[in-house]
Amino acid sequence: MLEALDLHKHYHQGEIDVVAVNHFTYAFPPGLTAIVGPSGSGKTTLLNLLAGFDVPSRGEVRLDGQPLSRLSEDARAELRLRYMGFVFQQWNLIPTLTALENVAFPLMLAGVTPKERVNRARHLLETVGLGQRAAHLPSKLSGGEQQRVAIARALALNPPILFADEPTGNLDSASGARVVDLLLHQAQEGRTVILVTHDLELARKAARILHLRDGKLLRVEEASLERA
Amino acid sequence: MEVLALVYRNLRARPIRSILTLLGIVVATASMVLFLSFGEGLRKALGAELSKVGPAILVISEGSEAFGAGYPELPPELLGHIKALAPELGITRAIPTAVFARGGFDPASSFIFQGLPAGVTAQDLYPNVRLAAGRLDPGQQGAVVGGGIAERNNLGLGKTLRLSPQVSLEVVGVLERSGGLTDSFIYVPITAIQTILNTQNYSSILVSIGPDQSAERVARALEARLEGIKAQTTGDVMRFAERAVRISDLVRFGISLVALIVGGLLVANTVMMSVYERIREFGLMRALGAKRRFIFGLVLLEALLLGVVGGLLGLGLGQAASGLVNWYTLREVGLALSAVTFRLASFALLVAVVLGLLAGFLPARTASRIRVVEALGRV
Ligand SMILES: Nc1ncnc2c1ncn2[C@@H]1O[C@H](COP(=O)(O)OP(=O)(O)O)[C@@H](O)[C@H]1O
Ligand SMILES: [Mg+2]
């Protein structure tokens, strides 16, 4: 279970003190949670804190009761490897590795044997419909295909939490829908999927929507039962 | 697999830059190998030359250095003194020689005349010497020429050698080529040399000892008993030469160090540039769960790979250059002056590896300290 407790993040921009995240408290249940808000409302900053990329100015993020900010950078990296998967808006893949090798990358970090890595990575690529593109470099894949490779990679170590920051931001609606369906499917399997977007239409597919404004959690909108 | 693929493909992704950097290391290593190969060559040649000398001890005048091929300074009575000590010290034979060198800048026009007393031949001094034509003993008015010098200067049997206006000798024997300094010697009667130099002195006296005698002990005894002389064993010569060669090794390594440092900076620069270009990539890896150590190792490996591959190629190039030098010096003076020994090759590779590690350290540290948030913010 991922919890944010009274999270604060300040940035100093010369004289001005920018509060990017302000009194944010929320416990993320399994299923798809969308975080929406206008540009500059603090969505990316919040995600950085939840994933342990950055440390909060105040408050804390807890993963299964363990406060992330007390851990070293390397310990947080290890935690991400085991518990979190990521899909970013763009530049998700390591450009010199093939699709298969990109998916196998976290498996290598986790010390999975080379043979097992290839098997698992191949299987994951098939589940996102890219079995044929295993040997292709990212530059030979379309934006939508790259995002699907990123999803396959995020699932490589079967983590309980998935983060997606504007994963469809650079995609046409058809490939965007395909990416969202994959994420939705993972949420239905019981994973905690946190989707950051400014697209309300997209957010409607989530079980709940967190509305962020000026770094504050404005309201939580639960989806009606028949949709969830 | 992915790690090496990452390193290799990243270098291959910028082929021109990688190749230029590699060339820097190759040239640096090759120049170091070639420079240091001269020291190794000298050691080897010296060992080979000394092993060809029959007599165990070389007596020269106290003031002269090592090989004692200088102007004859040993007084004639000395031979009698040494012979008088012979029974007591276990000396079996004492052969006086006089050396006269007529040199030019070009090794082909340099001649070394070694004067031998009547009844003594080149074989008494250098047991491996073999006759190709004529006879071994120069006699009263003859000369026996080494194989190399005979070929270069077309000195066949019956040719006349004019050592000075007064002294002319006829070639009566030609030796087989044996590879080494003796190929360039001309053996003549000692009286001829003494006449030219207008002296009764000797350049050196070669002393042979019985099989159960220690050369070291006899040499020290001779020095203690006789005034104004130095008695050298092959061991002494080797030690003296080793000191000299080692000093010149240091000087030559110092010179090649400049090239090595430039090569190292080249690698550091290349790898640093590639780190700056891949901040986003390293940030992504950290986001996915890579530890700092992993990124550090990845970048270090890149520099190390450049160092190792450049070192290996440089070693090959240095070896080729050394072969070229030897081809020339063998033809000219009958000596292989350069040698790429196993220990030199190992040293060169070690230097290349250390160079790679040193060059990679700073970029690797920079890369491992990239913060995820800052890296991901970039496009
Ligand atoms: N590294 C930073 N330094 C200073 N200000 C920042 C930094 N990152 C974000 N901010 C500010 O924090 C606020 C929230 O930004 P962000 O989290 O990127 O919002 P969103 O992702 O919702 O567009 C903005 O006002 C932005 O200017
Ligand atoms: Mg954002």
Side-chain angles (χ1 to χ4, degrees), chain A residues 7 21 35 42-54 84 86-88 162-166 194-196 212, chain B residues 376:
Chain A
L7 277 188
V21 174
I35 301 175
K43 304 183 295 292
T44 298
T45 306
L46 178 62
L47 188 141
N48 287 344
L49 296 176
L50 293 174
F53 295 155
D54 207 351
M84 303 171 184
F86 296 91
V87 183
F88 301 104
L162 287 185
F163 288 100
D165 190 359
E166 308 269 12
I194 301 172
L195 169 69
V196 168
L212 217 59
Chain B
L376 291 183

mmCIF file of all heavy atoms in Angstrom, chain A residues 7 21 35 42-54 84 86-88 162-166 194-196 212, chain B residues 376:
data_model
loop_
_atom_site.group_PDB
_atom_site.id
_atom_site.type_symbol
_atom_site.label_atom_id
_atom_site.label_comp_id
_atom_site.label_asym_id
_atom_site.label_seq_id
_atom_site.Cartn_x
_atom_site.Cartn_y
_atom_site.Cartn_z
ATOM 1 N N LEU A 7 2.185 15.619 2.395
ATOM 2 C CA LEU A 7 3.353 15.909 1.551
ATOM 3 C C LEU A 7 3.439 17.381 1.196
ATOM 4 O O LEU A 7 2.445 18.008 0.851
ATOM 5 C CB LEU A 7 3.282 15.116 0.243
ATOM 6 C CG LEU A 7 3.761 13.678 0.235
ATOM 7 C CD1 LEU A 7 3.775 13.173 -1.192
ATOM 8 C CD2 LEU A 7 5.136 13.580 0.849
ATOM 9 N N VAL A 21 3.800 21.039 -4.221
ATOM 10 C CA VAL A 21 2.862 20.100 -3.600
ATOM 11 C C VAL A 21 2.589 20.594 -2.187
ATOM 12 O O VAL A 21 3.505 20.958 -1.461
ATOM 13 C CB VAL A 21 3.421 18.664 -3.567
ATOM 14 C CG1 VAL A 21 2.502 17.741 -2.779
ATOM 15 C CG2 VAL A 21 3.600 18.117 -4.980
ATOM 16 N N ILE A 35 -4.678 11.051 -11.621
ATOM 17 C CA ILE A 35 -4.401 12.346 -11.011
ATOM 18 C C ILE A 35 -4.521 13.375 -12.126
ATOM 19 O O ILE A 35 -3.782 13.304 -13.117
ATOM 20 C CB ILE A 35 -3.005 12.392 -10.377
ATOM 21 C CG1 ILE A 35 -2.880 11.307 -9.290
ATOM 22 C CG2 ILE A 35 -2.716 13.764 -9.800
ATOM 23 C CD1 ILE A 35 -1.488 11.199 -8.674
ATOM 24 N N GLY A 42 1.278 20.555 -10.212
ATOM 25 C CA GLY A 42 2.104 19.749 -9.306
ATOM 26 C C GLY A 42 2.019 18.256 -9.522
ATOM 27 O O GLY A 42 2.495 17.477 -8.692
ATOM 28 N N LYS A 43 1.440 17.821 -10.650
ATOM 29 C CA LYS A 43 1.256 16.383 -10.894
ATOM 30 C C LYS A 43 2.591 15.642 -10.976
ATOM 31 O O LYS A 43 2.798 14.625 -10.317
ATOM 32 C CB LYS A 43 0.465 16.175 -12.208
ATOM 33 C CG LYS A 43 -0.875 16.869 -12.247
ATOM 34 C CD LYS A 43 -1.627 16.563 -13.523
ATOM 35 C CE LYS A 43 -0.950 17.094 -14.789
ATOM 36 N NZ LYS A 43 -0.945 18.555 -14.893
ATOM 37 N N THR A 44 3.501 16.196 -11.795
ATOM 38 C CA THR A 44 4.792 15.522 -11.969
ATOM 39 C C THR A 44 5.588 15.532 -10.674
ATOM 40 O O THR A 44 6.201 14.526 -10.287
ATOM 41 C CB THR A 44 5.576 16.186 -13.101
ATOM 42 O OG1 THR A 44 4.840 16.040 -14.315
ATOM 43 C CG2 THR A 44 6.945 15.567 -13.270
ATOM 44 N N THR A 45 5.552 16.650 -9.973
ATOM 45 C CA THR A 45 6.269 16.742 -8.700
ATOM 46 C C THR A 45 5.753 15.694 -7.715
ATOM 47 O O THR A 45 6.534 15.018 -7.044
ATOM 48 C CB THR A 45 6.109 18.153 -8.097
ATOM 49 O OG1 THR A 45 6.520 19.101 -9.074
ATOM 50 C CG2 THR A 45 6.937 18.314 -6.848
ATOM 51 N N LEU A 46 4.424 15.546 -7.681
ATOM 52 C CA LEU A 46 3.823 14.557 -6.784
ATOM 53 C C LEU A 46 4.294 13.152 -7.145
ATOM 54 O O LEU A 46 4.671 12.365 -6.272
ATOM 55 C CB LEU A 46 2.289 14.656 -6.871
ATOM 56 C CG LEU A 46 1.512 13.646 -6.022
ATOM 57 C CD1 LEU A 46 1.820 13.836 -4.539
ATOM 58 C CD2 LEU A 46 0.005 13.776 -6.267
ATOM 59 N N LEU A 47 4.280 12.865 -8.446
ATOM 60 C CA LEU A 47 4.716 11.536 -8.884
ATOM 61 C C LEU A 47 6.180 11.292 -8.511
ATOM 62 O O LEU A 47 6.543 10.203 -8.057
ATOM 63 C CB LEU A 47 4.507 11.409 -10.392
ATOM 64 C CG LEU A 47 4.735 10.014 -10.970
ATOM 65 C CD1 LEU A 47 3.705 9.716 -12.042
ATOM 66 C CD2 LEU A 47 6.128 9.864 -11.536
ATOM 67 N N ASN A 48 7.025 12.329 -8.686
ATOM 68 C CA ASN A 48 8.446 12.200 -8.318
ATOM 69 C C ASN A 48 8.605 11.833 -6.843
ATOM 70 O O ASN A 48 9.482 11.053 -6.479
ATOM 71 C CB ASN A 48 9.190 13.506 -8.591
ATOM 72 C CG ASN A 48 9.410 13.727 -10.084
ATOM 73 O OD1 ASN A 48 9.283 12.798 -10.874
ATOM 74 N ND2 ASN A 48 9.717 14.951 -10.457
ATOM 75 N N LEU A 49 7.735 12.432 -6.004
ATOM 76 C CA LEU A 49 7.820 12.145 -4.570
ATOM 77 C C LEU A 49 7.332 10.730 -4.277
ATOM 78 O O LEU A 49 7.950 9.987 -3.506
ATOM 79 C CB LEU A 49 6.990 13.150 -3.780
ATOM 80 C CG LEU A 49 7.451 14.611 -3.861
ATOM 81 C CD1 LEU A 49 6.477 15.521 -3.116
ATOM 82 C CD2 LEU A 49 8.856 14.747 -3.275
ATOM 83 N N LEU A 50 6.205 10.350 -4.911
ATOM 84 C CA LEU A 50 5.626 9.023 -4.656
ATOM 85 C C LEU A 50 6.592 7.920 -5.093
ATOM 86 O O LEU A 50 6.679 6.865 -4.460
ATOM 87 C CB LEU A 50 4.294 8.879 -5.409
ATOM 88 C CG LEU A 50 3.146 9.770 -4.917
ATOM 89 C CD1 LEU A 50 1.936 9.646 -5.835
ATOM 90 C CD2 LEU A 50 2.760 9.421 -3.477
ATOM 91 N N ALA A 51 7.322 8.174 -6.184
ATOM 92 C CA ALA A 51 8.232 7.153 -6.716
ATOM 93 C C ALA A 51 9.592 7.172 -6.032
ATOM 94 O O ALA A 51 10.426 6.317 -6.281
ATOM 95 C CB ALA A 51 8.416 7.353 -8.208
ATOM 96 N N GLY A 52 9.797 8.188 -5.168
ATOM 97 C CA GLY A 52 11.091 8.262 -4.501
ATOM 98 C C GLY A 52 12.192 8.821 -5.384
ATOM 99 O O GLY A 52 13.375 8.664 -5.087
ATOM 100 N N PHE A 53 11.829 9.467 -6.501
ATOM 101 C CA PHE A 53 12.849 10.148 -7.314
ATOM 102 C C PHE A 53 13.402 11.339 -6.563
ATOM 103 O O PHE A 53 14.529 11.753 -6.740
ATOM 104 C CB PHE A 53 12.254 10.662 -8.634
ATOM 105 C CG PHE A 53 11.778 9.581 -9.561
ATOM 106 C CD1 PHE A 53 10.798 9.852 -10.496
ATOM 107 C CD2 PHE A 53 12.322 8.305 -9.504
ATOM 108 C CE1 PHE A 53 10.361 8.871 -11.361
ATOM 109 C CE2 PHE A 53 11.885 7.320 -10.372
ATOM 110 C CZ PHE A 53 10.888 7.604 -11.305
ATOM 111 N N ASP A 54 12.535 11.931 -5.750
ATOM 112 C CA ASP A 54 12.882 13.143 -5.022
ATOM 113 C C ASP A 54 12.353 12.992 -3.592
ATOM 114 O O ASP A 54 11.500 12.139 -3.335
ATOM 115 C CB ASP A 54 12.217 14.350 -5.713
ATOM 116 C CG ASP A 54 13.005 15.631 -5.465
ATOM 117 O OD1 ASP A 54 13.937 15.609 -4.643
ATOM 118 O OD2 ASP A 54 12.667 16.642 -6.101
ATOM 119 N N MET A 84 7.857 -1.030 -8.153
ATOM 120 C CA MET A 84 7.243 -0.040 -9.029
ATOM 121 C C MET A 84 7.640 -0.237 -10.482
ATOM 122 O O MET A 84 8.758 -0.611 -10.791
ATOM 123 C CB MET A 84 7.675 1.383 -8.612
ATOM 124 C CG MET A 84 7.353 1.717 -7.168
ATOM 125 S SD MET A 84 8.111 3.286 -6.706
ATOM 126 C CE MET A 84 7.685 3.352 -4.965
ATOM 127 N N PHE A 86 7.341 1.887 -14.359
ATOM 128 C CA PHE A 86 7.155 3.263 -14.848
ATOM 129 C C PHE A 86 6.902 3.331 -16.346
ATOM 130 O O PHE A 86 7.539 2.625 -17.127
ATOM 131 C CB PHE A 86 8.400 4.100 -14.549
ATOM 132 C CG PHE A 86 8.661 4.259 -13.081
ATOM 133 C CD1 PHE A 86 9.470 3.356 -12.408
ATOM 134 C CD2 PHE A 86 8.078 5.287 -12.375
ATOM 135 C CE1 PHE A 86 9.699 3.482 -11.054
ATOM 136 C CE2 PHE A 86 8.293 5.425 -11.017
ATOM 137 C CZ PHE A 86 9.109 4.514 -10.348
ATOM 138 N N VAL A 87 5.964 4.206 -16.708
ATOM 139 C CA VAL A 87 5.778 4.557 -18.112
ATOM 140 C C VAL A 87 5.736 6.082 -18.167
ATOM 141 O O VAL A 87 4.864 6.709 -17.563
ATOM 142 C CB VAL A 87 4.461 3.981 -18.682
ATOM 143 C CG1 VAL A 87 4.339 4.315 -20.168
ATOM 144 C CG2 VAL A 87 4.394 2.481 -18.464
ATOM 145 N N PHE A 88 6.734 6.672 -18.835
ATOM 146 C CA PHE A 88 6.778 8.138 -18.907
ATOM 147 C C PHE A 88 6.155 8.617 -20.206
ATOM 148 O O PHE A 88 5.803 7.821 -21.088
ATOM 149 C CB PHE A 88 8.222 8.624 -18.809
ATOM 150 C CG PHE A 88 8.901 8.195 -17.543
ATOM 151 C CD1 PHE A 88 9.827 7.164 -17.546
ATOM 152 C CD2 PHE A 88 8.584 8.802 -16.333
ATOM 153 C CE1 PHE A 88 10.447 6.752 -16.379
ATOM 154 C CE2 PHE A 88 9.200 8.386 -15.157
ATOM 155 C CZ PHE A 88 10.133 7.364 -15.175
ATOM 156 N N LEU A 162 2.161 0.587 -10.529
ATOM 157 C CA LEU A 162 2.575 1.129 -11.819
ATOM 158 C C LEU A 162 2.341 2.633 -11.833
ATOM 159 O O LEU A 162 1.288 3.101 -11.406
ATOM 160 C CB LEU A 162 1.760 0.520 -12.966
ATOM 161 C CG LEU A 162 2.014 -0.918 -13.403
ATOM 162 C CD1 LEU A 162 1.155 -1.240 -14.631
ATOM 163 C CD2 LEU A 162 3.480 -1.131 -13.727
ATOM 164 N N PHE A 163 3.354 3.389 -12.301
ATOM 165 C CA PHE A 163 3.186 4.832 -12.489
ATOM 166 C C PHE A 163 3.187 5.142 -13.979
ATOM 167 O O PHE A 163 4.013 4.606 -14.723
ATOM 168 C CB PHE A 163 4.355 5.602 -11.871
ATOM 169 C CG PHE A 163 4.354 5.612 -10.371
ATOM 170 C CD1 PHE A 163 5.177 4.753 -9.656
ATOM 171 C CD2 PHE A 163 3.540 6.494 -9.676
ATOM 172 C CE1 PHE A 163 5.192 4.773 -8.269
ATOM 173 C CE2 PHE A 163 3.550 6.523 -8.294
ATOM 174 C CZ PHE A 163 4.376 5.656 -7.588
ATOM 175 N N ALA A 164 2.269 6.000 -14.389
ATOM 176 C CA ALA A 164 2.268 6.428 -15.788
ATOM 177 C C ALA A 164 2.051 7.935 -15.822
ATOM 178 O O ALA A 164 1.015 8.428 -15.372
ATOM 179 C CB ALA A 164 1.185 5.707 -16.565
ATOM 180 N N ASP A 165 3.080 8.672 -16.285
ATOM 181 C CA ASP A 165 2.993 10.136 -16.332
ATOM 182 C C ASP A 165 2.706 10.568 -17.761
ATOM 183 O O ASP A 165 3.580 10.504 -18.615
ATOM 184 C CB ASP A 165 4.309 10.749 -15.836
ATOM 185 C CG ASP A 165 4.187 12.259 -15.641
ATOM 186 O OD1 ASP A 165 3.098 12.804 -15.901
ATOM 187 O OD2 ASP A 165 5.186 12.878 -15.227
ATOM 188 N N GLU A 166 1.475 10.976 -18.014
ATOM 189 C CA GLU A 166 1.043 11.388 -19.359
ATOM 190 C C GLU A 166 1.484 10.364 -20.418
ATOM 191 O O GLU A 166 2.113 10.734 -21.409
ATOM 192 C CB GLU A 166 1.654 12.759 -19.718
ATOM 193 C CG GLU A 166 1.441 13.844 -18.687
ATOM 194 C CD GLU A 166 0.170 14.658 -18.926
ATOM 195 O OE1 GLU A 166 -0.658 14.233 -19.756
ATOM 196 O OE2 GLU A 166 0.009 15.706 -18.264
ATOM 197 N N ILE A 194 -1.213 4.278 -11.026
ATOM 198 C CA ILE A 194 -1.372 5.718 -10.832
ATOM 199 C C ILE A 194 -1.092 6.409 -12.157
ATOM 200 O O ILE A 194 0.031 6.372 -12.669
ATOM 201 C CB ILE A 194 -0.442 6.222 -9.716
ATOM 202 C CG1 ILE A 194 -0.791 5.482 -8.414
ATOM 203 C CG2 ILE A 194 -0.573 7.730 -9.547
ATOM 204 C CD1 ILE A 194 0.165 5.751 -7.274
ATOM 205 N N LEU A 195 -2.145 6.982 -12.723
ATOM 206 C CA LEU A 195 -2.069 7.581 -14.042
ATOM 207 C C LEU A 195 -2.147 9.092 -13.918
ATOM 208 O O LEU A 195 -3.145 9.632 -13.423
ATOM 209 C CB LEU A 195 -3.230 7.060 -14.904
ATOM 210 C CG LEU A 195 -3.489 7.748 -16.235
ATOM 211 C CD1 LEU A 195 -2.370 7.448 -17.219
ATOM 212 C CD2 LEU A 195 -4.837 7.306 -16.803
ATOM 213 N N VAL A 196 -1.082 9.775 -14.324
ATOM 214 C CA VAL A 196 -1.082 11.233 -14.294
ATOM 215 C C VAL A 196 -1.457 11.733 -15.682
ATOM 216 O O VAL A 196 -0.888 11.292 -16.679
ATOM 217 C CB VAL A 196 0.306 11.775 -13.900
ATOM 218 C CG1 VAL A 196 0.402 13.272 -14.139
ATOM 219 C CG2 VAL A 196 0.610 11.445 -12.448
ATOM 220 N N LEU A 212 -6.122 17.873 -8.693
ATOM 221 C CA LEU A 212 -5.025 18.638 -8.084
ATOM 222 C C LEU A 212 -5.093 20.076 -8.583
ATOM 223 O O LEU A 212 -5.313 20.324 -9.777
ATOM 224 C CB LEU A 212 -3.692 17.998 -8.503
ATOM 225 C CG LEU A 212 -2.566 17.969 -7.489
ATOM 226 C CD1 LEU A 212 -2.989 17.209 -6.245
ATOM 227 C CD2 LEU A 212 -1.334 17.312 -8.100
ATOM 228 N N LEU B 376 15.275 13.327 -15.810
ATOM 229 C CA LEU B 376 13.999 13.066 -16.488
ATOM 230 C C LEU B 376 13.362 14.357 -16.991
ATOM 231 O O LEU B 376 12.579 14.335 -17.939
ATOM 232 C CB LEU B 376 13.029 12.346 -15.553
ATOM 233 C CG LEU B 376 13.404 10.905 -15.214
ATOM 234 C CD1 LEU B 376 12.344 10.265 -14.337
ATOM 235 C CD2 LEU B 376 13.597 10.076 -16.472
#
